[in-house]
Amino acid sequence: MMTTGARRWLALLAVAMSLLVVGLDLTVLNLALPAIANALHASTSDLQWFSDAYSLVLAAAVLPAGMLGDRYGRKRVLMTALAIFGVSSAACAYAATSGELIAARAVLGLGAAGIMPLALAIIPVLFAPEERQKATAVMASTIFLSFPIGPLVGGALLDHFWWGSVFLINVPVVVVALVAVAILMPESRSAERPRVDFAGVAISSAGLITLTYGCIKAGQDGWGAAAIATIIAGAVLLAGFAAWERVLTRRGQGVRPLVELPLFRSAGFTWGTILATLVSFAMFGIMFAMPQYFQEVRGTDALGSGLRMLPMIGGMLAGMIGGTRLQSPRRPAAGPAGQRLGTRPGPRPGTRPGPSRPPLAGARSMVAAGFAVMAAGLAMGAFTTVSSGTGFAAAWFAVSGLGLGVAMPSAMNAALGALSADRSGAGSALITAMRQVGATIGVAILGAVLSSIYQARLASAAVPAPVASVARSSVAAGVTVALLASVRAAFVDGLDVMLWTCGGIALASALLALAFLPRRARGGGAGQQEPVPAGSGEASPERAELGI
């Protein structure tokens, strides 16, 4: 019979497989953007919407998805989301126009909205606070693992088949994940049965759509009055959403708000979530632009582009492993060596070992260090030129990835430490929603920076007007009309400005972490019960249903 510990960790691995399909989709989309642009005659705005339609729907649907998981069962909602993800992946593969692909990507985001928060929600339910750093690292490593798998498999497919094949690789992974979740993951739900905040869903969705559309319009048409007015309207709608959630929180009865405002009384949750969002902001901008640089400027094929991104993945994995070890509790060292190091001697034979010593590094120092390293790598990348070699790109990619690998799991663990088991679905959904907002706005704003500089540089070049109008839509279109030197130089100028922007965000995030993030993540947020450790005498309603 399976032991309790084995079941918990196998359940975690089953849910991690669900996250794998989300990571694969993100990687292969960015890798396939140049091929899609050529096949579907997509503009830069279309390329942004291929990513933003997915992220926007995910951000709009993730909060109700987390609440539905708390109410009806996280396993049930997760399996439904996986099925939606698999079907919409096939629809993406066979899209014939940009509009069809954008629509399929939106449905794909709906499936991801049920996968991502519920994958995180299982951590506060199944694991005691001292185990969550390792469990969070498993989830993070799954996403990181998808990055090398995606470019290599996706690149090989793009070199031998049509671009839609990269979406079909999601389907068998979804099938395996469905079977694993059905067999290994126990059902869990909240003791309460809250009603869905439909008004909050409508207001938040409208605000996110309006804000993101304004950013994309600014990148395509410039920062004119229409774009600025749209951005302001989106911000006003989101402010109205926050006010509505506060009203529901004060009532204390009836409909549960989409956003659990008392969570923000915890500095660990608030700043852990904000800093994880800023990581997503910078990361998604890099992942959007660099495949286009490698393929359209450097002239590599899809597989070559994927291989050139592997140093970032190696840096991520190294940072994640090192950060986890530094934040793991230490056992006292035994013997004279331990005494020389300032630790207590080990326990005598026949006695119970004492408690673990604190970890070597706290959340605040790890997150700040990760962002500082990331800023240094991005600053290096901002000196990229048309003729920069592969070694230079590998160096700054590895440094940036190292910072990402340190900062992301540490920030996420600080936020997850504030969640009780009973609110894990809604709380994890809030973390995921804010990260996806960062990704969506990151692609929109950083894409706008890149597009604005690119178009401005083309405008200053001596290019015939009819040809220039084609080239301004995207770098792929510019290469097609044979403006190689002018187009590549203009794109690299925009890329460098975008990387300077990302580096500034990373540096500011390091300072924010030092100023506001608690030294160590703690279980149980403000106003919440301390999560019940596994194996304790008092079981929460969650664990009673799980039977563990």
Side-chain angles (χ1 to χ4, degrees):
M1 182 177 293
M2 189 181 301
T3 65
T4 298
R7 180 175 180 178
R8 286 188 292 119
W9 288 102
L10 287 175
L12 182 72
L13 292 176
V15 178
M17 291 188 65
S18 304
L19 278 182
L20 183 63
V21 298
V22 178
L24 284 174
D25 176 80
L26 170 67
T27 307
V28 297
L29 172 70
N30 287 285
L31 191 66
L33 282 177
I36 296 173
N38 290 324
L40 301 183
H41 307 290
S43 65
T44 298
S45 177
D46 291 332
L47 297 181
Q48 291 177 358
W49 274 109
F50 293 154
S51 176
D52 287 335
Y54 170 89
S55 298
L56 184 61
V57 172
L58 195 160
V62 71
L63 293 175
M67 181 176 290
L68 290 173
D70 285 343
R71 179 183 174 93
Y72 296 109
R74 300 181 184 105
K75 178 178 179 177
R76 181 182 302 176
V77 175
L78 178 59
M79 293 185 67
T80 302
L82 280 168
I84 294 173
F85 199 92
V87 172
S88 54
S89 293
C92 288
Y94 293 101
T97 65
S98 294
E100 289 180 8
L101 183 56
I102 291 171
R105 291 283 300 170
V107 180
L108 199 71
L110 185 64
I115 295 173
M116 296 183 68
L118 297 178
L120 291 176
I122 196 173
I123 295 178
V125 173
L126 293 183
F127 297 95
E130 62 270 15
E131 297 176 304
R132 290 179 190 165
Q133 178 72 18
K134 292 182 179 179
T136 304
V138 169
M139 290 296 188
S141 65
T142 302
I143 293 293
F144 292 163
L145 182 63
S146 69
F147 287 128
I149 293 176
L152 296 177
V153 176
L157 289 173
L158 287 170
D159 286 344
H160 295 88
F161 303 98
W162 96 112
W163 61 265
S165 61
V166 299
F167 293 105
L168 288 182
I169 65 175
N170 292 340
V171 177
V173 180
V174 165
V175 172
V176 173
L178 274 170
V179 173
V181 169
I183 296 174
L184 296 173
M185 181 179 172
E187 183 61 279
S188 64
R189 58 174 59 86
S190 173
E192 301 178 9
R193 298 294 183 268
R195 288 180 293 169
V196 177
D197 177 16
F198 290 106
V201 172
I203 299 172
S204 62
S205 299
L208 288 169
I209 291 172
T210 305
L211 181 63
T212 305
Y213 177 77
C215 292
I216 293 176
K217 187 174 180 62
Q220 184 177 8
D221 303 329
W223 294 89
I228 294 175
T230 305
I231 291 172
I232 293 174
V236 170
L237 284 170
L238 291 177
F241 168 69
W244 169 249
E245 297 302 288
R246 183 172 298 176
V247 170
L248 291 183
T249 301
R250 288 177 177 173
R251 289 178 182 174
Q253 295 179 350
V255 179
R256 181 196 290 179
L258 281 179
V259 174
E260 300 277 348
L261 294 180
L263 285 172
F264 290 101
R265 298 172 187 167
S266 165
F269 178 86
T270 300
W271 288 101
T273 302
I274 290 173
L275 292 168
T277 300
L278 291 174
V279 172
S280 297
F281 189 109
M283 182 177 68
F284 277 76
I286 296 171
M287 299 299 291
F288 174 79
M290 291 312 297
Q292 297 180 71
Y293 168 78
F294 286 129
Q295 295 184 50
E296 304 298 348
V297 176
R298 298 297 298 162
T300 66
D301 57 17
L303 179 58
S305 176
L307 289 171
R308 282 164 174 79
M309 299 186 72
L310 288 182
M312 174 172 281
I313 312 310
M316 285 180 178
L317 291 174
M320 183 198 67
I321 293 171
T324 300
R325 289 180 177 177
L326 288 173
Q327 288 194 273
S328 296
R330 296 175 293 155
R331 289 292 178 187
Q339 294 176 15
R340 286 195 301 268
L341 292 171
T343 61
R344 294 174 296 177
R348 287 177 291 184
T351 63
R352 298 183 64 183
S356 301
R357 297 184 65 216
L360 289 169
R364 182 171 69 181
S365 59
M366 293 301 298
V367 175
F371 273 115
V373 173
M374 181 179 169
L378 292 168
M380 290 172 57
F383 291 96
T384 298
T385 66
V386 174
S387 59
S388 293
T390 300
F392 174 76
W396 77 263
F397 260 34
V399 174
S400 300
L402 180 66
L404 284 170
V406 172
M408 175 63 85
S410 301
M412 290 292 295
N413 191 54
L416 288 172
L419 298 180
S420 67
D422 196 53
R423 292 293 187 271
S424 63
S428 299
L430 178 55
I431 296 171
T432 304
M434 291 188 65
R435 287 184 59 209
Q436 288 307 309
V437 168
T440 302
I441 304 304
V443 170
I445 292 181
L446 296 175
V449 171
L450 176 59
S451 179
S452 297
I453 300 298
Y454 171 73
Q455 293 183 20
R457 295 294 187 270
L458 280 181
S460 63
V463 177
V467 178
S469 64
V470 175
R472 288 193 187 99
S473 64
S474 70
V475 63
V479 171
T480 300
V481 296
L483 296 174
L484 299 182
S486 298
V487 166
R488 288 171 176 169
F491 182 83
V492 169
D493 286 346
L495 174 66
D496 288 346
V497 173
M498 189 202 75
L499 291 175
W500 277 120
T501 304
C502 292
I505 293 170
L507 183 59
S509 299
L511 298 176
L512 290 174
L514 289 174
F516 298 108
L517 197 63
R519 289 183 178 271
R520 307 194 186 281
R522 297 179 180 179
Q528 297 179 358
Q529 295 180 352
E530 181 75 10
V532 181
S536 65
E538 182 183 359
S540 70
E542 306 282 350
R543 291 189 174 86
E545 286 194 38
L546 291 170
I548 53 179

